[in-house]
Amino acid sequence: MFNCLLFKCSRQESVAGSIVAGTGSQRTSKVLTQGQRPRNMSTLNKPVRSVVISECFRKNHGSAKDYIYVMDVTYITSETNEIRHTYEDFFDFHLQLIGHFPEEAGVRIGLLRHDSPQESTKRLIPQLPGQIMFVTDAVAKSRISPLQEYLKAVLVLPPKISRSPWVLSFFRTNGKNAAAAIERDQLGEVEEADDPIEYDYE
């Protein structure tokens, strides 16, 4: 039922960022998944001050492909960390927020609120950019700006949400889908991509 909420995300045309096709020689740093200890233990459970999606790159495996968003996270202690998430990681995270904070997500007694002005003012958790069945480089690029806005909105939510375990975990380690894609690369299961596809920031 919660899935219905996610497909109402509005289209956003503002685009920024870069997409680089990953190869076997690139992006081979140690993978951290949610539940594992981060490289810098001092960042554990530290609230986030800011986050920037610095780039997006593609990992090919067989006929499938994953688009991984690289995020530069700055904590309130001024410490920094680089984490990676796919859109599927964002989607899973969004469902967690809805599940744990249904009222703030606009859900009442198992029913979605109507999009009336009175009801919309009560919704706090932002809308996630909608799912798309066939994702291309251009689509992955176009998601950078709305995903960035989504992250900014999450960080300014009330502390009970923005400092909840689910939010802190999301900004601490790589998402499980991103980690799996990178792990396949490290195991040599990913085909080398063609020439990198690069986009300048607009």
Side-chain angles (χ1 to χ4, degrees), residues 48-52 72-76 155:
V48 175
R49 175 185 297 166
S50 64
V51 58
V52 176
D72 297 325
V73 182
T74 301
Y75 303 93
I76 60 172
L155 293 183

Side-chain angles (χ1 to χ4, degrees), residues 151-162:
L151 295 175
K152 288 181 180 179
V154 168
L155 293 183
V156 298
L157 290 172
K160 75 170 187 176
I161 304 176
S162 62

Side-chain angles (χ1 to χ4, degrees), residues 13-31:
E13 298 179 354
S14 176
V15 175
S18 61
I19 299 177
V20 180
T23 67
S25 62
Q26 296 173 316
R27 309 295 178 188
T28 56
S29 59
K30 184 178 180 180
V31 176

Side-chain angles (χ1 to χ4, degrees), residues 55-174:
E55 68 171 306
C56 176
F57 62 92
R58 185 183 67 239
K59 285 293 184 184
N60 300 322
H61 47 100
S63 59
K65 55 190 174 184
D66 292 296
Y67 290 94
I68 300 175
Y69 296 90
V70 181
M71 298 157 52
D72 297 325
V73 182
T74 301
Y75 303 93
I76 60 172
T77 57
S78 296
E79 295 168 284
T80 60
N81 191 20
E82 181 185 277
I83 59 174
R84 301 166 188 188
H85 289 290
T86 63
Y87 175 84
E88 289 70 27
D89 294 320
F90 276 91
F91 188 89
D92 292 343
F93 169 65
H94 190 66
L95 288 182
Q96 285 185 318
L97 292 185
I98 293 175
H100 290 286
F101 305 102
E103 183 176 352
E104 291 80 358
V107 178
R108 181 179 54 190
I109 316 178
L111 297 176
L112 299 181
R113 297 183 188 273
H114 296 293
D115 292 332
S116 64
Q118 293 81 6
E119 297 292 354
S120 62
T121 58
K122 298 179 182 179
R123 179 189 175 90
L124 296 178
I125 294 176
Q127 295 276 11
L128 182 72
Q131 287 183 312
I132 298 176
M133 184 173 295
F134 300 105
V135 180
T136 63
D137 289 351
V139 169
K141 176 192 174 186
S142 70
R143 278 176 166 170
I144 293 176
S145 181
L147 286 176
Q148 180 70 65
E149 292 304 312
Y150 174 82
L151 295 175
K152 288 181 180 179
V154 168
L155 293 183
V156 298
L157 290 172
K160 75 170 187 176
I161 304 176
S162 62
R163 299 194 179 192
S164 67
W166 306 281
V167 172
L168 297 181
S169 177
F170 182 80
F171 288 114
R172 186 173 67 242
T173 58
N174 292 338

